[in-house]
Amino acid sequence: MGRHHINAYLLLGRRPVVVDAGTPGSGRRIHDQIAAHGVDPADVSLIVLTHGHIDHFGSAAELRRLTGAPVAGHVADLGPYRTGRAREPYLPTGPLGRLMARNENLHLTVPPVEPDVIVTGETGLEDFGLAARVMPTPGHTAGSISVLTDQGDLVAGDLIATSLFGLVPGRPANPPFHDDPLRNLASLREMLALNPTSLHVGHGAPLEPERVRRWADREHRRLSRLAAAGRLPVRTENGAA
Ligand SMILES: [Zn+2]
Ligand SMILES: [Zn+2]
């Protein structure tokens, strides 16, 4: 569905680290792409899952089997990882999300995965051969995390997306869903404050931090207006409110 429709990343340090594992049934394709980049898949030291949506962890169990690498995921998304189901309902960020929420593929059960490394806070990846840190960036889901390399590349999952799944290169946009839009925006701003050089997203081509900063200011005003009008959807214990 296009070159940047759903992304997985290969980070090259002393040892390679993979971020995200695509939809179910993509394990072989990701494995072959790792090899196509001149990296022995058996050398992969870690598979980091940015969050518990099935287009990001759908092939995690398969990719672990194919590479032998452990899987890392945040404790707050263990429910989805262990059941193979995303937390429901998905909370749309706008018309695209409302349309997509009806797509039954989003509600599939995928092969569950028990993370070998359970992330509970900021975590250095030196032990896995990569000069980078895993940063908790909750909001899109409670257990959303990003990977920030020492060189300044931020692999951001669905913290931010490229407009219309990458169809409008360079333009930041919300992904179709956020469990907690305000919390997500706060996480995005925390990451921008660390001055990343580039944002690599789950859907679409990379984004320039300066452009995302301006987008975040506009989004802050938009969410504030919605919140003031009592029209901001936020997940509660029992679903959506
Ligand atoms: Zn997501
Ligand atoms: Zn996604």
Side-chain angles (χ1 to χ4, degrees):
M1 295 181 76
R3 192 168 143 71
H4 290 292
H5 189 77
I6 299 174
N7 297 323
Y9 289 91
L10 178 64
L11 306 184
L12 301 174
R14 271 188 301 108
R15 295 189 67 195
V17 168
V18 172
V19 182
D20 278 339
T23 49
S26 315
R28 175 56 65 180
R29 189 165 161 205
I30 297 171
H31 170 278
D32 291 352
Q33 277 298 313
I34 295 168
H37 282 79
V39 172
D40 182 349
D43 283 346
V44 172
S45 64
L46 189 66
I47 301 162
V48 177
L49 304 177
T50 60
H51 64 287
H53 280 162
I54 59 174
D55 51 331
H56 296 258
F57 79 95
S59 291
E62 186 187 8
L63 193 60
R64 174 167 63 189
R65 215 161 40 242
L66 291 170
T67 61
V71 169
H74 192 277
V75 64
D77 276 1
L78 275 182
Y81 296 141
R82 284 176 172 164
T83 58
R85 290 184 63 85
R87 221 172 262 117
E88 302 259 6
Y90 288 90
L91 299 186
T93 53
L96 180 63
R98 282 194 285 279
L99 200 69
M100 282 184 64
R102 289 195 281 261
N103 183 334
E104 56 192 42
N105 285 338
L106 280 174
H107 308 281
L108 290 175
T109 300
V110 305
V113 61
E114 178 69 34
D116 309 281
V117 178
I118 296 181
V119 176
T120 56
E122 191 177 319
T123 306
L125 293 181
E126 292 77 15
D127 288 353
F128 298 95
L130 190 72
R133 288 175 286 164
V134 169
M135 311 293 289
T137 47
H140 178 65
T141 64
S144 285
I145 54 181
S146 301
V147 177
L148 180 63
T149 71
D150 288 5
Q151 291 175 335
D153 289 289
L154 184 74
V155 184
D158 285 352
L159 185 63
I160 180 80
T162 304
S163 191
L164 292 174
F165 288 99
L167 284 179
V168 191
R171 185 193 286 178
N174 277 315
F177 311 102
H178 279 320
D179 281 353
D180 184 341
L182 281 174
R183 188 72 194 85
N184 184 78
L185 185 61
S187 290
L188 177 63
R189 289 177 137 183
E190 282 168 28
M191 291 304 105
L192 290 170
L194 299 173
N195 293 316
T197 53
S198 190
L199 278 73
H200 306 272
V201 294
H203 307 283
L207 294 167
E208 277 176 39
E210 209 33 62
R211 221 169 147 181
V212 176
R213 236 173 236 122
R214 291 197 298 273
W215 179 89
D217 290 343
R218 289 197 301 278
E219 180 67 358
H220 178 73
R221 291 193 290 276
R222 188 183 76 90
L223 291 181
S224 302
R225 277 196 305 275
L226 282 176
R231 288 174 46 224
L232 195 64
V234 182
R235 178 178 299 287
T236 66
E237 279 305 299
N238 302 312

